[in-house]
């Protein structure tokens, strides 16, 4: 049957379809990774890249915590401290969390919907490799005159208008990462809409695919707006425009509006795929189907839609009319409804299930517990008068680390342990996995729980020095942070050990797991579903 | 054959989706810039960015002492300066705390520009500390062109803490010649 293929269709994509017998694994060596168009290879690249960025951003965070271990200036000067907080945020958001979820999407979405590969395999390669120059620009910016940008990860004007060339490098890096995200999203939407196996209707799709479909739409809606905002900053800096320059008739507060129009959907972009992963894992280890599948789909969509009309809750102190403050307060609180639907559905899924507590399940339950705490502090911050008190304090730092670390990151750990047997063909070391979980969850709380108290007591964020009464909680947080950082080396060890060997994993290593990915052998062959499976 | 056709169909299908999504991306990039005029308009309509206070009424002074009145007399002199300088109001009876505006007229009778500086004085002199001028031509030097006439406002409030015994205040301005070019020469 391959003989009838027209000549120009002989690229990897058509290839993946036709020639079964003289088929081959990947070419060997470094060039395999540079030229690959295989969704599994690209998924692996994304995951390793984001882990490297996670360690980089983590090193910055530990330098911050070392400085904050006691009052006074010990290790870094204030200018460099501001660069650390800024780059920690940018690297973790754009370099670690977002690419990691794209890595999961690359590996899992074709396997879950029975597609042979992503829709645009070459664009897929490009969207990954764009990340490498972008990350390099960010790292290089530490070594240019004036250092990296210190305007905060939000890059508010007028600070961002006044920074040195480190700011330009950060803007270019974000442009490139944005382009990469948009291409990745287009790829995911097209794959999900056009390439599902026969019988795989949208409402039969695994939740992970649903959450990524919605996330992708959000990405192509808001990443271009961020690109616009930082382009305006760039032209303000170099081409004499005055979008955010008050002296020229512009308005720095407008930057905040445009940024958060991107920024608030962005926080859901970073959590919806985590919801998807947890929605795969909880049913598998509770040995029950997901409770309220349809309501999960609608809840995810509602969160996505609501996320576009709440952005100004980041700006309650900028002098908004009272009607605006009330609108954004109530709209923000409304998001708790669909989020609550999801949390209760997960709990209902576990209710009377035959639960076992392997590492993926531990991380998934840990996610629900700690993420919900972050959700509650979010609800508290949504109340305008309270927010005005807590604006830019450590309470906010505690809040978003509860949802981003305990939310997104824990869900990703859960996902890695859950699918690692499928990816590598080996079972991971359960002892290392459990050790990693308990260390992570204990030290995470040791790091971030005291920050609530610091914030309530009035300690501002983004400062290298603080008043003596904050010393004890800061010392506790710093000890927690170093232990949390070291705990991640357990994760690295567990993954490397699993890649190198270990007990042979069955095609379906988890008794209660459902889905097409468990119908292919472990490790998943280089090409899967060249003939689409039939879904009943 | 049908297999190949199917593959081509699928790719055309994917390209269609790609084009639609690219259009959304471009529209959203434009939307970011469209937020700029939109933001300006919103600020205009809601009046949130009215930083210079134009359009908002001046806050009324709520601390007017209505129990008494003080008479203020206005006097104007020019010291060896060929200027005609006079108040438009000779005297007023006002409540302490009441914001009041009076006008002064100055005419330069010389054939060239002259710069002068007005110095106020008060009688009784104790009242000086309670006579608060918000706007006065005496704050800066004034230059009048040849034969020019100008009107200057003086905006003032008498502090409500003014001693009860003072019922009349005389405000006297004297214009002095700054550069020595406007002096009236004594007739020879």
């Amino acid at each position: 049957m391959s003989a009838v293929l027209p000549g120009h269709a002989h690229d990897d994509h058509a290839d993946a379809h036709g020639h079964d017998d003289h088929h081959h694994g990947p070419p060997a060596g470094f060039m395999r990774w540079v030229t690959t168009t295989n969704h599994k290879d690209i998924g692996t690249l994304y995951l390793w890249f984001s882990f490297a960025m996670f360690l980089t951003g983590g090193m910055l965070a530990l330098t911050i915590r070392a400085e904050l271990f006691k009052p006074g200036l010990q290790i870094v000067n204030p200018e460099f401290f501001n660069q650390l907080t800024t780059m920690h945020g940018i690297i973790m958001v754009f370099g670690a969390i977002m690419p990691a979820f794209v890595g999961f999407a690359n590996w899992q979405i074709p396997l879950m919907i029975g597609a042979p590969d992503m829709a645009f395999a070459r664009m897929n390669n490009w969207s990954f490799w764009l990340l490498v120059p972008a990350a390099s620009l960010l790292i290089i910016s530490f070594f240019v005159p004036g250092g990296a940008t210190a305007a905060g990860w939000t890059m508010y004007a007028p600070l961002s208008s006044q920074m040195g060339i480190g700011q330009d490098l950060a803007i270019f890096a974000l442009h490139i990462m944005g382009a990469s995200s948009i291409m990745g999203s287009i790829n995911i939407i097209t794959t999900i809409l056009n390439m599902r196996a026969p019988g795989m209707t949208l409402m039969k799709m695994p939740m992970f695919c649903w959450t990524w479909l919605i996330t992708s739409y959000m990405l192509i809606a808001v990443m271009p707006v961020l690109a616009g905002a930082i382009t305006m900053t760039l032209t303000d800096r170099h081409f004499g425009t005055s979008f955010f320059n008050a002296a020229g008739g512009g308005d720095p507060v407008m930057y905040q509006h445009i940024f958060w129009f991107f920024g608030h959907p962005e926080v859901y972009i970073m959590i919806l795929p985590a919801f998807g992963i947890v929605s795969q894992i909880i049913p598998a280890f509770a040995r029950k189907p997901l409770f309220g599948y349809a309501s999960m789909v609608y809840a995810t969509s509602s969160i996505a839609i609501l996320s576009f009309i709440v952005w100004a809750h980041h700006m309650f102190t900028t002098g908004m009319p009272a009607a605006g403050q009330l609108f954004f307060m109530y709209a923000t609180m409304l998001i708790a409804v669909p989020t609550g639907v999801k949390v209760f559905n997960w709990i209902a899924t576990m209710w009377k299930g035959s639960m076992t507590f392997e590492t993926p399940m531990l991380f998934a339950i840990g996610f629900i517990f700690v993420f919900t705490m972050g959700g509650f502090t979010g609800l508290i911050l949504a109340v305008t008068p309270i927010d005005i008190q807590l604006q830019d304090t450590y309470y906010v730092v505690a809040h978003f680390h509860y949802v981003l670390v305990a939310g997104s990151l824990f869900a990703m750990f859960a996902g890695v342990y859950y699918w690692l047997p499928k990816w590598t063909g080996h079972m991971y070391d359960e002892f290392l996995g459990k050790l990693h979980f308990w260390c992570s969850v204990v030290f995470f709380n040791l790091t971030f729980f005291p920050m609530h108290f610091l914030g309530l007591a009035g300690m501002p964020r983004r400062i290298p020095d603080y008043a003596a009464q904050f010393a004890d909680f800061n010392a506790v947080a710093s000890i927690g942070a170093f232990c949390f950082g070291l705990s991640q080396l357990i994760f690295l060890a567990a993954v490397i050990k699993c890649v190198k060997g270990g007990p042979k994993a069955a095609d379906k290593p988890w008794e209660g797991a459902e889905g097409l990915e468990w119908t292919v052998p472990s490790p998943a062959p280089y090409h899967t579903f060249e003939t689409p499976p039939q879904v009943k | 054959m049908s297999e190949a056709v199917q593959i081509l169909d699928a790719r055309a299908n994917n390209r269609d989706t790609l084009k639609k999504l690219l259009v959304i991306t471009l529209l959203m990039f434009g939307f970011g810039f469209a937020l700029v005029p939109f933001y300006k308009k919103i600020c205009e309509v809601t009046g949130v960015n009215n930083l210079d206070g134009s359009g908002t009424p001046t806050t009324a002074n709520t601390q007017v002492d209505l129990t008494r009145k003080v008479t203020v007399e206005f006097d104007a002199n020019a010291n060896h300066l060929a200027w005609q300088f006079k108040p438009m109001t000779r005297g007023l009876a006002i409540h302490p705390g009441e914001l009041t505006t009076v006008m002064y007229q100055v005419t330069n009778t010389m054939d060239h520009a002259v710069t002068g500086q007005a110095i106020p004085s008060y009688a009784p002199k104790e009242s000086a500390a309670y006579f608060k001028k918000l706007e006065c031509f005496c704050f800066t030097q004034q230059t009048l062109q040849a034969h020019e006439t100008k009107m200057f406002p003086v905006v003032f409030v008498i502090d409500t803490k003014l001693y009860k015994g003072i019922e009349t205040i005389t405000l006297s301005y004297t214009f002095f010649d700054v550069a020595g070019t406007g002096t009236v020469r004594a007739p020879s």
Side-chain angles (χ1 to χ4, degrees), chain A residues 225-239:
Chain A
V225 177
L226 173 70
I230 57 179
T231 305
M232 289 180 217
T233 308
L234 198 66
T235 58
D236 269 12
R237 288 167 58 80
H238 297 296
F239 303 110

Side-chain angles (χ1 to χ4, degrees), chain A residues 297-319:
Chain A
V297 173
Y298 298 131
T300 311
S301 316
S302 313
I303 293 173
I305 291 163
L306 285 173
S307 74
F308 283 90
I309 55 161
V310 298
W311 76 90
H313 68 210
H314 296 269
M315 312 168 47
F316 280 144
T317 55
T318 55

Side-chain angles (χ1 to χ4, degrees), chain A residues 446-516:
Chain A
L446 192 66
T447 311
F448 293 105
F449 203 78
M451 291 186 188
H452 291 112
F453 305 133
L454 287 171
L456 288 171
M459 178 168 162
R461 64 191 279 213
R462 294 170 170 165
I463 48 155
D465 189 7
Y466 49 83
Q469 72 265 32
F470 302 130
D472 292 350
F473 281 135
N474 269 298
V476 171
S478 289
I479 292 167
F482 275 87
C483 296
F484 183 81
L486 289 174
S487 309
Q488 305 322 310
L489 298 179
I490 307 173
F491 174 65
L492 183 62
V495 170
I496 289 175
K497 193 174 169 195
C498 180
V499 171
K500 292 211 163 199
K504 176 93 185 72
D507 292 355
K508 190 177 129 176
W510 312 115
E511 189 194 4
E514 299 275 353
L516 288 176

Side-chain angles (χ1 to χ4, degrees), chain B residues 115-131:
Chain B
T115 301
Q117 168 74 56
I119 306 292
S121 66
Y122 307 87
K125 68 176 185 338
E126 292 80 9
S127 61
Y130 303 92
F131 201 99

Side-chain angles (χ1 to χ4, degrees), chain A residues 254, chain B residues 33-42:
Chain A
M254 185 174 71
Chain B
F33 285 87
L35 283 174
V36 177
F38 183 67
Y39 175 77
K40 295 232 155 80
K41 199 75 206 162
I42 290 260

Side-chain angles (χ1 to χ4, degrees), chain A residues 99-220:
Chain A
F101 279 132
V102 182
F104 276 102
N106 261 291
W107 253 104
Q108 289 308 126
I109 287 175
L111 283 179
M112 285 175 148
I113 63 172
D117 205 311
M118 297 296 279
F120 308 106
R122 289 208 175 112
M123 190 166 84
N124 204 13
N125 171 291
W126 199 34
S127 30
F128 170 74
W129 281 105
L130 277 182
L131 290 177
V132 178
S136 314
L137 284 178
L138 288 179
I139 305 293
I140 289 168
S141 76
F142 275 111
F143 304 100
V144 298
T149 172
W153 84 276
T154 51
M155 298 187 294
Y156 278 3
L159 276 179
S160 57
S161 314
Q162 296 161 353
M163 287 283 149
I165 57 172
Q167 181 69 50
D168 297 316
L169 295 183
I171 288 175
F172 292 141
L174 285 189
H175 272 138
I176 298 171
M177 285 173 161
S180 157
S181 280
I182 290 168
M183 288 193 288
S185 303
I186 288 176
N187 223 331
I188 289 167
I189 295 174
T190 312
T191 307
I192 292 179
L193 291 186
N194 295 354
M195 297 174 68
R196 297 189 310 280
M200 174 69 82
T201 62
L202 281 175
M203 288 307 274
K204 276 187 193 163
M205 274 198 315
M207 268 314 290
F208 179 70
C209 301
W210 256 114
T211 55
W212 244 117
L213 179 64
I214 291 165
T215 303
S216 302
Y217 273 112
M218 292 169 80
L219 273 167
I220 61 168

